[in-house]
């Protein structure tokens, strides 16, 4: 048995204990201070240098092991998505429970299990000789706007902690250690507003009903998205999608509470929110193509006097993509297959967006994701992670880092930059 496996066997109980401890600390997006403090203290006890980066309400933990170049950044996020506590059956969100080789609890898969694997991988590597620098970037607010990782990258460049040319990254999101992800689509949340003409609903011919018009738009949306798919498809990533997620009109509301509905009048306004998932090609010129296509599509609905406008509901996010033949991806696959003995490792993609986009946007090649989390259980009640995958991930993060420093020593990781 190799020394890495020995280390993981020896530390197994501590790793599992750390996963449970992390689950028990509430860390909704924007409220990561407590977990950041805990992790910083936990790591500092091993006499490792820890930087607590505070930026507005953002609390990141940065850990640096080794020195020189090349640099490898392991990225994990500290925040979780606020769950509906009543839906949990097996345990409560902040009460970790171990059962049948799994740990249940909020963030177990997304991604406190991965955080524990990264931290213990760093503990091992601290005692190991290698030429280069490993950085753990444990960041805030991934689930809302990715601003934690962006703040980390700004800080790292400014303080010259790494150079873009000699740095690569890996995001530790869930792949159940079965897949190496090479990209994800971007997201754009859009509000479309239709203004018509209100009036008494007994005389509908004297009104312009925005409800019907907005319904027409929604019904025609699949053809619009199909055209986008034809013109902007990506050879790796799935086609763009647009999903209506909210629709309202004719109601008087306060927040999410409906105060009254207007039963006998035609409203003048109808609104809907759409979740667009874009391929990188559609957004590579800072969403200009996307805006142009959407304006073109909406134009035909305003022919009979309706006023149709749209806006981004939140700042849109670009997608991420790395060439599946990039040495970094080959190295990740090889590490899983040859060093960990995993079979049938898939090269795939992520449907949703993740922090890998932030690395791509500054020119750092990134493995979109490899992590211990279970696929499909994130953001859901009774989220769980398999213990065997947490241990496998710890082994992977150690061996991949060593392979990386070996392979890229003295080379530019990203010769294009
Ligand atoms: Zn996540």
């Amino acid at each position: 048995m190799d020394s890495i496996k020995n280390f993981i066997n020896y530390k197994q109980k501590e790793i599992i204990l750390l996963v449970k401890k992390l689950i028990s600390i509430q860390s909704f997006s924007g409220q990561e201070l407590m977990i950041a403090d805990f992790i910083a203290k936990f790591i500092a006890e091993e006499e490792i240098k820890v930087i607590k980066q505070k930026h507005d309400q953002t609390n990141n933990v940065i850990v640096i092991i080794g020195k020189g170049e090349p640099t490898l950044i392991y990225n994990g996020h500290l925040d979780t998505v606020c769950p509906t506590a009543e839906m949990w059956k097996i345990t409560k969100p902040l009460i970790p429970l171990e059962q049948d080789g799994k740990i249940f609890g909020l963030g177990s898969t997304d991604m406190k299990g991965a955080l524990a694997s990264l931290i213990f991988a760093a503990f091992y590597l601290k005692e190991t000789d290698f030429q280069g620098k490993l950085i753990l970037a444990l960041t805030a607010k991934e689930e809302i706007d990715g601003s934690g990782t962006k703040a980390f990258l700004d800080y790292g460049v400014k303080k010259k902690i790494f150079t873009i040319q000699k740095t690569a990254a890996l995001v530790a999101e869930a792949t159940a250690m079965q897949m190496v992800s090479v990209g994800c689509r971007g997201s754009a949340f859009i509000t479309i507003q239709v203004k018509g003409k209100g009036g008494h609903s007994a005389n509908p011919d004297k009104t312009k009903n925005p409800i019907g018009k907005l319904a027409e738009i929604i019904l025609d949306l699949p053809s619009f998205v199909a055209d986008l798919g034809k013109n902007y498809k990506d050879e790796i990533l799935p086609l763009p999608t647009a999903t209506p997620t909210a629709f309202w009109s004719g109601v008087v509301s306060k927040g999410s509470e409906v105060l009254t509905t207007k039963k006998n009048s035609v409203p003048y306004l109808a609104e809907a929110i759409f979740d667009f998932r874009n391929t990188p090609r559609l957004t590579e010129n800072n969403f200009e193509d996307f805006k142009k296509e959407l304006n073109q599509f909406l134009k035909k609905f305003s022919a009979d006097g309706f006023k149709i406008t749209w806006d981004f509901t939140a700042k849109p996010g670009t997608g991420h993509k790395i060439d599946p033949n990039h040495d970094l991806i080959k190295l990740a696959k090889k590490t899983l297959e040859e060093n960990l003995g995993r079979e049938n490792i898939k090269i795939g993609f992520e449907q949703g967006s993740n922090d890998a986009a932030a690395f791509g946007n500054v020119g750092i090649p990134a493995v979109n994701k490899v992590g211990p989390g279970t696929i499909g259980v994130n953001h859901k009640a009774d989220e769980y992670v398999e213990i065997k995958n947490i241990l496998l991930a710890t082994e992977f993060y150690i061996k991949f880092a060593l392979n990386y420093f070996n392979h890229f020593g003295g080379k530019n990781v990203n010769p294009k930059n």
Side-chain angles (χ1 to χ4, degrees):
M1 194 180 278
D2 63 29
S3 72
I4 297 170
K5 279 213 164 79
N6 272 336
F7 167 81
I8 292 166
N9 275 344
Y10 180 67
K11 294 284 183 184
Q12 179 165 345
K13 279 204 178 101
E14 286 176 55
I15 298 172
I16 294 166
L17 206 64
L18 177 60
V19 179
K20 292 179 180 171
K21 178 67 195 177
L22 295 177
I23 289 170
S24 73
I25 302 173
Q26 188 203 288
S27 60
F28 299 146
S29 306
Q31 302 172 25
E32 296 93 342
L33 178 62
M34 211 168 26
I35 198 163
D37 281 346
F38 172 82
I39 289 175
K41 189 161 170 271
F42 187 84
I43 295 174
E45 276 167 11
E46 298 288 315
E47 283 161 20
I48 292 174
K49 186 180 169 197
V50 183
I51 300 165
K52 286 205 264 179
Q53 187 202 0
K54 274 193 208 300
H55 178 263
D56 298 330
Q57 293 298 308
T58 302
N59 287 282
N60 293 334
V61 179
I62 303 168
V63 180
I64 302 172
I65 309 252
K67 56 177 185 294
E69 290 181 314
T71 302
L72 176 64
I73 301 170
Y74 280 151
N75 174 237
H77 64 82
L78 303 170
D79 54 330
T80 57
V81 175
C82 184
T84 321
E86 311 82 70
M87 308 239 319
W88 288 65
K89 298 269 176 328
I90 290 174
T91 184
K92 290 287 156 221
L94 302 180
I95 302 175
L97 176 81
E98 186 177 334
Q99 201 177 78
D100 308 326
K102 298 168 181 154
I103 302 172
F104 291 84
L106 177 63
S108 50
T109 264
D110 189 14
M111 52 186 292
K112 293 177 171 180
L115 293 178
S117 296
L118 291 177
I119 290 167
F120 275 86
F123 289 175
Y124 180 91
L125 289 164
K126 189 219 163 204
E127 305 298 332
T128 312
D129 260 345
F130 60 87
Q131 175 59 39
K133 196 165 24 186
L134 175 76
I135 300 178
L136 299 190
L138 311 180
T139 54
K141 294 187 185 169
E142 189 270 344
E143 300 286 4
I144 49 170
D145 55 13
S147 57
T149 293
K150 282 180 208 131
F152 156 74
L153 286 167
D154 288 347
Y155 178 86
V157 170
K158 207 171 100 201
K159 297 270 176 186
K160 299 195 171 69
I161 295 177
F162 51 80
T163 56
I164 303 282
Q165 294 84 350
K166 293 188 176 167
T167 300
L170 179 145
V171 177
E173 292 272 12
T175 65
M177 305 312 287
Q178 286 288 13
M179 191 221 343
V180 177
S181 170
V182 293
C184 59
R185 297 178 298 175
S187 62
F189 299 97
I190 305 285
T191 303
I192 295 179
Q193 198 178 62
V194 178
K195 277 186 186 147
K197 189 172 164 230
H200 201 292
S201 48
N203 301 308
D205 51 330
K206 294 204 168 98
T207 67
K208 285 190 186 301
N209 195 327
I211 296 179
K213 190 50 75 177
L214 187 50
E216 276 177 39
I217 293 173
I218 292 173
L219 289 174
D220 205 26
L221 208 63
S223 70
F224 170 60
V225 179
D227 285 345
L228 288 184
K230 253 185 257 153
N231 299 331
Y232 297 92
K233 88 166 176 291
D234 184 283
E235 70 277 18
I236 298 171
L237 302 182
L239 293 171
T241 53
T243 310
T245 52
F247 182 113
W248 62 91
S249 185
V251 295
V252 178
S253 62
K254 193 173 125 196
S256 60
E257 186 193 359
V258 174
L259 300 177
T260 174
T261 51
K262 298 179 185 172
K263 288 183 271 300
N264 59 356
S265 61
V266 171
Y268 83 102
L269 178 75
E271 280 188 326
I273 293 179
F274 300 84
D275 178 349
F276 275 88
R277 298 292 163 150
N278 295 310
T279 55
R281 274 203 55 215
L282 187 50
T283 58
E284 64 193 0
N285 56 357
N286 203 16
F287 290 89
E288 289 311 313
D289 279 338
F290 176 75
K291 289 179 195 165
K292 188 188 80 195
E293 299 290 345
L294 186 59
N295 287 335
Q296 192 66 29
F297 166 70
L298 290 174
K299 214 161 120 189
K300 62 181 183 228
F301 297 97
S302 47
D304 34 7
F306 286 93
K307 191 170 178 239
I308 297 165
T309 52
W310 71 270
D311 205 352
F312 291 114
T313 307
K315 202 168 173 282
T318 55
H320 171 251
K321 202 180 126 188
I322 181 168
D323 182 347
N325 292 314
H326 194 291
D327 274 7
L328 200 61
I329 300 300
K330 288 191 196 152
L331 206 60
K333 189 169 188 276
K334 199 170 153 199
T335 305
L336 283 164
E337 289 174 343
E338 289 177 18
N339 298 123
L340 271 75
R342 308 287 285 161
E343 283 170 9
N344 303 320
I345 294 300
K346 251 180 58 192
I347 299 293
F349 52 78
E350 156 83 315
Q351 288 280 9
S353 44
N354 70 34
D355 269 347
F359 291 96
N361 288 343
V362 297
I364 295 177
V367 178
N368 183 270
K369 56 175 191 165
V370 173
T374 312
I375 292 165
V377 305
N378 55 331
H379 304 190
K380 285 188 189 151
D382 295 326
E383 175 183 352
Y384 68 88
V385 63
E386 292 190 46
I387 291 171
K388 71 170 189 333
N389 285 339
I390 291 173
L391 303 178
L392 268 173
T394 312
E395 187 182 345
F396 172 81
Y397 296 137
I398 296 170
K399 292 182 174 169
F400 178 74
L402 294 173
N403 288 343
Y404 173 87
F405 294 120
N406 225 342
H407 183 85
F408 288 106
K411 281 187 223 166
N412 276 4
V413 184
N414 198 9
K416 270 179 271 166
N417 276 293

